[in-house]
Amino acid sequence: MKKETILIALGGNALIRKGQIGTVAEQFENLKIPVRQIAKLSETYKIIITHGNGPQVGNLLLQQECCNAVPQLPLEILVAQTQGQIGYMIESTLDSELMELGITQYFITLITYVVVDENDPGFANPSKPIGPVYTEAEAKTVPYPTRKTAKGYRRVVVSPEPVTVVEKNEIRKLIDMDFIVICCGGGGIPVIREERRFHGVDAVIDKDLVSAKLAEEVGVDIFLIATDVPGAILNYGKPEEQLLRSLRLEDATRYLKEGHFPPGSMGPKVDAAMRFIRNRGKRTVITSIDAIEAAVAGAAGTEVLA
Ligand code: ADP
Ligand code: MG
């Protein structure tokens, strides 16, 4: 029987959990939890892994701010760096977990570009918070736009819509050959297409939205978003909060409007799941990093339905 394909989008907390400073040892330890489940699932499913890079790119930005002796690197290069860094960490963890389970699989990390539109309205409005948290006074002294967020003042960067994943055909081929593919790290390296050439832009693409795009372009069966909460929660953080085990498109639209799923956190996840279903995707679940297998089995998370 033909194996179904699952795309699993790992949130930043797969590597650095809330309250941790994020040493390399911590990141390797945290990764075991999702990666062991993915290793087991690989016996039954073909697998694509995408991942965020918020904390890692934030640390690279901080390192840049501490040093003026070398040229500053644009975001596109920092995203490329984190694809290598996190790809390596996922691969080596996957290698150990597969070995422990006695499973043989091929896997590969792919540097991935994602085309954005130079006329995207996002370019006029930097909106995605990244990097360190500043006080109001510090925020006034940094050389780029900042915005007050729930955590404090943070740098905001341009976050355009993903138009297409440049390596989608390569990814499809690798999946057909039964490789576990790690790709689209940090939302992918944002590029603008000028006829047959690409050039990078100083922006960051949302990893949930690019994952939905890739899920559609490759034609995966299940699109799973793994984060640090059990799913989409109504009245999040209030005494009456309630985990939604299923969420219909029309209700999701209403809850988004009512502000239940804020931009930059649960908003893009619900948006990404909705896009996949609207584009005739079969099944999509938002779940926690600890419950990936349970969510695939239908026993955890929020399933977004047509
Ligand atoms: P990731 O790194 O996985 O993309 P994010 O921090 O971007 O994680 O998004 C997950 C966070 O969304 C949760 O930690 C939670 O604090 C926040 N959140 C905001 N609103 C909701 C909601 N309605 N339901 C669940 N989580 C929510
Ligand atoms: Mg996020």
Side-chain angles (χ1 to χ4, degrees):
M1 210 181 80
K2 195 177 169 278
K3 276 182 166 181
E4 291 196 310
T5 305
I6 309 188
L7 187 153
I8 300 174
L10 296 178
N13 60 290
L15 290 113
I16 303 179
R17 301 230 155 190
K18 271 190 189 126
Q20 293 183 331
I21 56 162
T23 64
V24 167
E26 280 171 342
Q27 298 189 49
F28 271 118
E29 194 55 35
N30 295 334
L31 263 181
K32 286 183 189 168
I33 294 165
V35 170
R36 182 168 304 153
Q37 298 175 74
I38 292 172
K40 282 193 213 151
L41 286 168
S42 73
E43 288 199 292
T44 324
Y45 296 94
K46 294 174 180 257
I47 294 181
I48 300 175
I49 302 171
T50 63
H51 61 84
N53 70 348
Q56 291 75 18
V57 97
N59 285 352
L60 290 176
L61 281 169
L62 259 182
Q63 285 172 7
Q64 296 219 88
E65 282 178 26
C66 297
C67 173
N68 286 316
V70 291
Q72 299 281 303
L73 299 172
L75 277 168
E76 118 221 21
I77 301 293
L78 299 182
V79 173
Q81 289 187 359
T82 60
Q83 288 191 348
Q85 168 188 345
I86 300 172
Y88 154 64
M89 297 181 89
I90 295 176
E91 276 197 10
S92 63
T93 309
L94 194 53
D95 195 32
S96 320
E97 296 298 324
L98 286 168
M99 198 124 68
E100 232 163 79
L101 293 165
I103 303 171
T104 307
Q105 297 287 6
Y106 303 117
F107 49 84
I108 189 165
T109 300
L110 208 64
I111 294 291
T112 324
Y113 315 156
V114 175
V115 176
V116 299
D117 180 353
E118 61 185 322
N119 298 314
D120 190 296
F123 283 107
N125 172 35
S127 63
K128 189 173 176 61
I130 59 164
V133 177
Y134 304 107
T135 63
E136 190 175 355
E138 283 167 343
K140 287 194 176 121
T141 66
V142 295
Y144 31 70
T146 58
R147 179 174 295 176
K148 195 174 174 185
T149 70
K151 295 181 187 166
Y153 286 81
R154 295 179 75 197
R155 177 180 182 183
V156 281
V157 297
V158 165
S159 187
E161 281 282 324
V163 174
T164 185
V165 177
V166 175
E167 292 82 2
K168 57 182 173 292
N169 295 326
E170 288 84 344
I171 295 168
R172 207 182 290 123
K173 266 200 182 145
L174 288 163
I175 282 294
D176 286 345
M177 292 192 299
D178 264 331
F179 277 82
I180 298 174
V181 185
I182 302 155
C183 59
C184 287
I189 302 165
V191 296
I192 285 175
R193 190 179 348 223
E194 274 169 3
E195 293 179 5
R196 299 194 58 191
R197 288 168 197 273
F198 296 112
H199 68 86
V201 286
D202 204 22
V204 165
I205 305 171
D206 185 273
K207 76 108 179 25
D208 296 313
L209 298 185
V210 84
S211 301
K213 176 59 72 179
L214 182 66
E216 176 206 327
E217 290 187 323
V218 171
V220 309
D221 300 285
I222 305 174
F223 172 34
L224 189 142
I225 302 175
T227 183
D228 62 349
V229 283
I233 297 168
L234 210 56
N235 295 305
Y236 179 68
K238 298 188 187 143
E240 69 273 25
E241 71 172 25
Q242 180 201 347
L243 171 67
L244 299 164
R245 286 299 317 282
S246 66
L247 179 56
R248 298 216 162 264
L249 286 179
E250 55 186 300
D251 295 326
T253 308
R254 191 174 77 244
Y255 296 149
L256 270 168
K257 250 188 223 140
E258 290 171 359
H260 286 282
F261 311 132
S265 62
M266 192 46 67
K269 297 184 203 312
V270 172
D271 186 3
M274 291 171 75
R275 290 180 190 200
F276 180 68
I277 292 297
R278 284 206 183 105
N279 290 313
R280 284 185 259 287
K282 266 197 230 162
R283 232 193 115 199
T284 180
V285 198
I286 302 168
T287 189
S288 97
I289 287 284
D290 319 272
I292 293 174
E293 281 185 287
V296 172
T302 303
E303 195 126 355
V304 176
L305 307 168

